[in-house]
Amino acid sequence: MGWYQQAAGRLWITDWSETAARAAPVFVLLHGAGMDHSVWALVGRALAAAGFRVLAPDLAGHGRSGGTPPQTIEDHAAVLAEVLAGLAVTRPLLVGHSMGSLIALELAPRTHAAGLALVAASARMAVHPRLLQLAARDVAAAAELMVRWSFPAEVRFGGQPIPGTWLPAATRTLIARSGPQVLAADLSACDAYQDAAARARALDVPARVVAGARDRMTPPRAGRELAGLLPRGRFLLLEGCGHMIPLERPAALVQALLALAAEAASPAATGC
């Protein structure tokens, strides 16, 4: 799709579904801290191939988007609500990874979301003080720590879930090249956000919480608890998987999202 101009600056939005019907359901994919839309490439293309519209923004201040990164989860949601309204996107299927899951929770009532998928998520996303300190002064060191906590040891030191890839290095590079103070702003926003539980309880729409059994950033027990807060939440645990689910288990995640879309399209589904 390209650039979208709004008050906070220019946002880059990737659209993997330019040939999809304009009336097709819309997935909006929201990336995590210090990242950009590219983490969704495999998932986004698969959803587009299934006939959906698929939009993946680089959040403000991230990737190719302009401006400075918002300082709060609420500010991220406000920017995206303006963008989606400008694009005439209503009742989207919101998918958020890590920090993106908090933004999705905050964005859902503003867009009358038809469904919600929270990936590697928890209701209280407290950030370790050491990581907060590193993010503010040494992004490369912070990226290294995040990789260590995100991937199982066998992925960090050997076999990859997708042949021909080296996911720890790709993740490390993506985080390390984020702009000055971007990662620090993102992690601080996650650490400060305390409204996830209240937002979750109020969202009476089909919802999925997808967790990696080997995730040390957002442990699976936290994802299970979050699913229990959502009135129509379902929990999916991916064995052997860490924090970077869109990269580690894209096929399994796509299947979960297709099931979510089918439930949202059923006559029993209602808006939030």
Side-chain angles (χ1 to χ4, degrees):
M1 174 175 290
W3 300 108
Y4 181 85
Q5 183 70 40
Q6 46 87 50
R10 292 200 307 170
L11 243 63
W12 175 265
I13 303 176
T14 295
D15 185 349
W16 280 294
S17 52
E18 294 181 356
T19 60
R22 300 302 298 175
V26 182
F27 275 102
V28 177
L29 311 180
L30 306 175
H31 64 75
M35 299 187 181
D36 64 25
H37 76 276
S38 63
V39 299
W40 295 111
L42 297 173
V43 172
R45 289 173 180 141
L47 292 173
F52 295 91
R53 291 185 64 202
V54 187
L55 306 179
D58 284 351
L59 298 176
H62 297 70
R64 300 180 67 179
S65 289
T68 57
Q71 300 299 300
T72 69
I73 297 300
E74 294 88 344
D75 288 345
H76 272 292
V79 169
L80 290 168
E82 178 189 334
V83 169
L84 294 178
L87 295 173
V89 172
T90 58
R91 291 185 52 77
L93 296 158
L94 297 177
V95 185
H97 172 246
S98 196
M99 179 183 76
S101 67
L102 301 182
I103 299 171
L105 280 168
E106 191 69 27
L107 182 61
R110 305 181 192 213
T111 59
H112 303 288
L116 189 67
L118 309 176
V119 183
S122 63
R124 183 70 182 93
M125 205 170 286
V127 180
H128 195 285
R130 181 185 175 196
L131 182 55
L132 284 172
Q133 293 169 2
L134 283 176
R137 68 172 188 262
D138 189 343
V139 174
E144 184 61 42
L145 187 59
M146 290 174 69
V147 165
R148 190 184 314 164
W149 289 346
S150 294
F151 292 100
E154 58 268 27
V155 175
R156 286 188 285 120
F157 299 119
Q160 300 299 294
I162 301 176
T165 64
W166 188 248
L167 298 183
T171 303
R172 185 186 301 112
T173 300
L174 184 59
I175 297 171
R177 77 182 183 200
S178 61
Q181 299 305 308
V182 169
L183 183 61
D186 288 351
L187 295 180
S188 294
C190 291
D191 191 61
Y193 187 66
Q194 300 189 36
D195 293 339
R199 294 287 182 267
R201 292 189 183 100
L203 291 174
D204 188 18
V205 296
R208 299 290 188 277
V209 178
V210 185
R214 305 283 295 281
D215 185 356
R216 294 170 61 194
M217 292 284 286
T218 49
R221 67 177 180 278
R224 192 182 297 275
E225 291 168 1
L226 177 57
L229 297 175
L230 291 154
R232 298 170 66 182
R234 298 186 187 185
F235 180 70
L236 173 62
L237 181 66
L238 301 178
E239 295 294 341
C241 187
H243 186 71
M244 295 300 296
I245 295 171
L247 299 178
E248 295 179 74
R249 297 289 191 276
L253 181 54
V254 167
Q255 290 305 308
L257 297 179
L258 292 177
L260 173 69
E263 184 179 348
S266 69
T270 60
C272 59

